[in-house]
Amino acid sequence: MDLNFIQRLIRPAETKIVLLVLDGVGGLPTEPGGLTELEAAHTPNLDDLAARGICGLQQPVGPGITPGSGPGHLALFGYDPIRYQIGRGVLSALGIDFDLKADDVAARGNFCTLDDDGRVADRRAGRIPTEKNEELCALLRKIALPGVEVFVETVKEYRLLLVLRGKGLSGELADTDPQQVGEGPLEPEPLSAEAERTAGLVKEFVGQAWQVLADHHPANMILLRGFSKLPDWPSFEQVFGLRPAAIAAYPMYRGVAKLVGMDVLATGATVDEEMEALEAHWEDYDYFFLHVKPIDSAGEDGDFGRKVRLIEEVDTVVPRLMALEPSVLLVTGDHSTPSLLKYHSWHPVPVILWSRQCRTDDVDRFGERACIDGGLGPRIPAADLMPLALANAMRLEKFGA
Amino acid sequence: MDLNFIQRLIRPAETKIVLLVLDGVGGLPTEPGGLTELEAAHTPNLDDLAARGICGLQQPVGPGITPGSGPGHLALFGYDPIRYQIGRGVLSALGIDFDLKADDVAARGNFCTLDDDGRVADRRAGRIPTEKNEELCALLRKIALPGVEVFVETVKEYRLLLVLRGKGLSGELADTDPQQVGEGPLEPEPLSAEAERTAGLVKEFVGQAWQVLADHHPANMILLRGFSKLPDWPSFEQVFGLRPAAIAAYPMYRGVAKLVGMDVLATGATVDEEMEALEAHWEDYDYFFLHVKPIDSAGEDGDFGRKVRLIEEVDTVVPRLMALEPSVLLVTGDHSTPSLLKYHSWHPVPVILWSRQCRTDDVDRFGERACIDGGLGPRIPAADLMPLALANAMRLEKFGA
């Protein structure tokens, strides 16, 4: 639904909403006909919640679309992830907790190998180790550009982040990454008149970078893509009238939460520590986004058994969460990560919405097949969950007299 | 679906469609795990119809959105209720059977209390009784404005309707209601150049109203909002090629039916009297909208038992309706009104679509949980029911050769 439409219906209330994201929770059986990770897990508390709540499967972006973490979470926050797209440079910055400012331009970078003719021989510079990356970033940081501040940050292995800080910069630049070997790096072409100065600065930067890196084969050049600035979106609090807080141990998720204006609470990395942060701040906010990462990591590692155990671990904290007496609790994932595929996937994600007035269905098990029969249906758009949560929290006015 | 798209597919037929609206039929259990009003009701005839029809739950406006009666009905008539919005002034006029003309401008009004400094002390003038309202409206009716006719009508308690009738008037005016106490009434600002004259007339009216009401504390002023004119929408008959008739005992529903060009038939207030009206006019129309109000009223009163009994009462007339041999019968509500909440709610509404060729499902019970498993799905947009009804009435051409 359109955010303006929702915003006009918001009314104040004293209720609290919790979104518990089990990152990558949806899965697949290892063998046809078998159980998924979630179905194999012993989850008495989530099953009880499913029985008392309304269930379904949610589709983060669209049919067949495998979501990245950014779109997967934006959808759960109620923002249509196709309309509200985050630039790749900005996503890179969020992923390493870089404190991006409103006027900054960020780009995702690769160290690469150029051959003697100046053509790309390896887009990833032989996947240099992170330590080498840090050493080279220190060199690149010495490059000075007129009128702007330059930040060069290590992401991991061959990946880096470039940020230019100054007035009047634009993210409307074409990539310098040709995306294939055998071609030279491209010019950072401006895609609008306002971007001409920024294009000149980036051109100057990559020119100097080539000189700085010349003797550092295989990492003798950089390629840049996804030039972008922080988006100018309506904040979560503006739209939904909720004071929101994020509890997440990983930078990317804190970053996406910050993007919509959530306060980010300090937390340790375990589920117990995240629960402590939730309890400590329970009175201070109306909405809590609680992010549990390791389930996804187990899926990416192809470790079915570990994914099962991690789901079971989260199950044990559900009573502790319910003891806080939230008005509405949503439990779901930002996408599926089947250990069979070792990667994010397009499969819809099981969801439970619980409130005192949610109108329950006959589902009494939190699992992929069980949730097909739920009252939310087998393909509810993830972004529709936010207005439903607001309604269940008695925070939406009637539409039309 | 877009009405233009549907309109191009319409073909004539001799078939008849009946839409039976049980206002506010959807509900909630009083206790978690209990039955809803509809599930508790003994409804052998509706259950039989559910078994022979195709069932589901329909969402009148969108996920989490609690529909007013206007949007709830427009959706059932096939009009996207977000695209086709009715102004609040117009809705007020419909609600009291005021015969609004195409050029009229209508506004919803409150009697209010201004303090000695001219600031709003009570937006509802102490909720004066309807009799006092009638007395004051009689005084306001004496206000004369140049070139237009003025109507001032009592709605209920502190609420009134203002209508200006004349050529060249515009509804594009800002509210005079500041929506909070401690501020003075606002000027009726024109929101477009065409509205300047109307704004001047309204300003003149509220100025005189203040003089007229000065000695009538607590109702010593009026506040106006929702200035609007009758919308210029394609009529139901133009779009769907059906001659439509409305049978409804309450003004609001007759009004919404008139908005899309339905004929409004005279009827008594009971279900039996509405059935008599239906039988008397069976040969005259192709489409009948039959509205049953008291179920919603029982929900708003929080009277679970009365809501159950009223649903059971409607169940008894289903054979009488089927004896007329409609080609298509739709049974649903315009929204849910759980007696637990004593108010309209966002919960989707059970629906049965019956025709000779509807393709049935396994649902054999008309209830909220039973309908989740129906062939229409658990969240079909209400506006999609109209093309489905047309198809089942063999009134839509094939799309594409």
Side-chain angles (χ1 to χ4, degrees), chain B residues 201-270:
Chain B
L201 290 165
V202 172
K203 192 174 169 184
E204 172 69 21
F205 181 83
V206 293
Q208 290 196 38
W210 198 8
Q211 293 170 11
V212 167
L213 298 173
D215 299 332
H216 293 273
H217 190 279
N220 62 359
M221 187 44 169
I222 57 166
L223 300 173
L224 299 170
R225 57 201 167 103
F227 290 92
S228 45
K229 298 175 78 166
L230 278 178
D232 183 23
W233 295 341
S235 80
F236 192 90
E237 182 159 7
Q238 276 167 11
V239 176
F240 302 121
L242 294 159
R243 290 166 303 161
I247 302 173
Y250 278 65
M252 173 63 79
Y253 313 97
R254 290 198 293 267
V256 178
K258 268 193 273 184
L259 265 189
V260 298
M262 291 190 195
D263 280 2
V264 171
L265 306 182
T267 181
T270 70

Side-chain angles (χ1 to χ4, degrees), chain A residues 6-326:
Chain A
I6 296 293
Q7 187 173 12
R8 283 197 299 270
L9 298 177
I10 295 294
R11 70 173 176 197
E14 296 296 304
T15 50
K16 288 184 196 292
I17 299 171
V18 176
L19 168 68
L20 173 60
V21 175
L22 313 186
D23 199 308
V25 71
L28 283 172
T30 305
E31 294 297 327
L35 299 176
T36 68
E37 300 90 330
L38 181 58
E39 289 170 344
H42 177 63
T43 54
N45 295 302
L46 288 168
D47 294 349
D48 175 61
L49 198 66
R52 295 186 292 125
I54 181 166
C55 297
L57 292 159
Q58 53 93 352
Q59 197 164 260
V61 180
I65 307 303
T66 295
S69 299
H73 278 90
L74 281 178
L76 293 175
F77 300 159
Y79 292 69
D80 172 356
I82 294 180
R83 172 156 178 201
Y84 294 92
Q85 295 195 25
I86 313 170
R88 288 179 167 259
V90 170
L91 263 179
S92 276
L94 301 182
I96 60 166
D97 246 347
F98 184 90
D99 188 19
L100 213 56
K101 307 292 184 192
D103 291 329
D104 293 356
V105 169
R108 177 173 293 196
N110 282 10
F111 286 102
C112 70
T113 311
L114 295 193
D115 63 19
D116 294 344
D117 298 328
R119 285 187 288 239
V120 176
D122 182 344
R123 287 184 59 247
R124 298 184 182 84
R127 294 183 185 267
I128 52 166
T130 303
E131 295 70 35
K132 184 72 186 169
N133 180 319
E134 286 168 351
E135 185 186 311
L136 297 174
C137 281
L139 297 178
L140 292 175
R141 236 168 251 143
K142 292 177 183 159
I143 297 173
L145 296 179
V148 295
E149 216 177 333
V150 179
F151 300 85
V152 185
E153 307 294 332
T154 294
V155 174
K156 204 176 168 186
E157 297 174 352
Y158 57 91
R159 286 180 287 150
L160 65 111
L161 169 72
L162 172 69
V163 174
L164 303 188
R165 177 167 297 166
K167 289 290 167 207
L169 297 177
S170 166
E172 294 179 316
L173 300 183
D175 297 347
T176 74
D177 185 344
Q179 296 282 352
Q180 50 188 344
V181 297
E183 300 202 9
L186 306 172
E187 293 282 304
E189 297 291 345
L191 303 175
S192 71
E194 300 92 74
E196 279 177 22
R197 180 175 151 246
T198 315
L201 291 165
V202 172
K203 192 173 167 184
E204 173 68 21
F205 181 83
V206 293
Q208 291 196 39
W210 198 8
Q211 292 171 11
V212 168
L213 298 172
D215 299 334
H216 293 272
H217 189 280
N220 63 358
M221 188 44 170
I222 57 167
L223 301 173
L224 299 170
R225 57 203 167 101
F227 290 92
S228 45
K229 297 174 80 167
L230 279 178
D232 184 23
W233 296 340
S235 80
F236 192 90
E237 181 158 5
Q238 276 167 10
V239 177
F240 302 121
L242 294 160
R243 290 167 304 161
I247 301 173
Y250 278 65
M252 172 64 79
Y253 312 97
R254 291 197 294 267
V256 178
K258 266 192 276 184
L259 216 47
V260 298
M262 291 190 196
D263 279 2
V264 171
L265 305 183
T267 181
T270 69
V271 179
D272 275 335
E273 288 168 320
E274 292 193 335
M275 284 302 303
E276 281 163 28
L278 179 67
E279 288 161 347
H281 292 276
W282 185 247
E283 296 305 327
D284 308 333
Y285 296 93
D286 309 309
Y287 176 95
F288 293 91
F289 154 49
L290 196 66
H291 182 263
V292 179
K293 175 68 182 171
I295 295 167
D296 176 61
S297 308
E300 298 232 339
D301 292 346
D303 191 335
F304 191 101
R306 192 169 106 235
K307 191 172 165 193
V308 169
R309 283 192 303 279
L310 289 164
I311 292 169
E312 292 177 343
E313 184 181 314
V314 175
D315 184 76
T316 64
V317 304
V318 171
R320 187 167 164 193
L321 207 166
M322 291 301 283
L324 291 167
E325 300 187 354

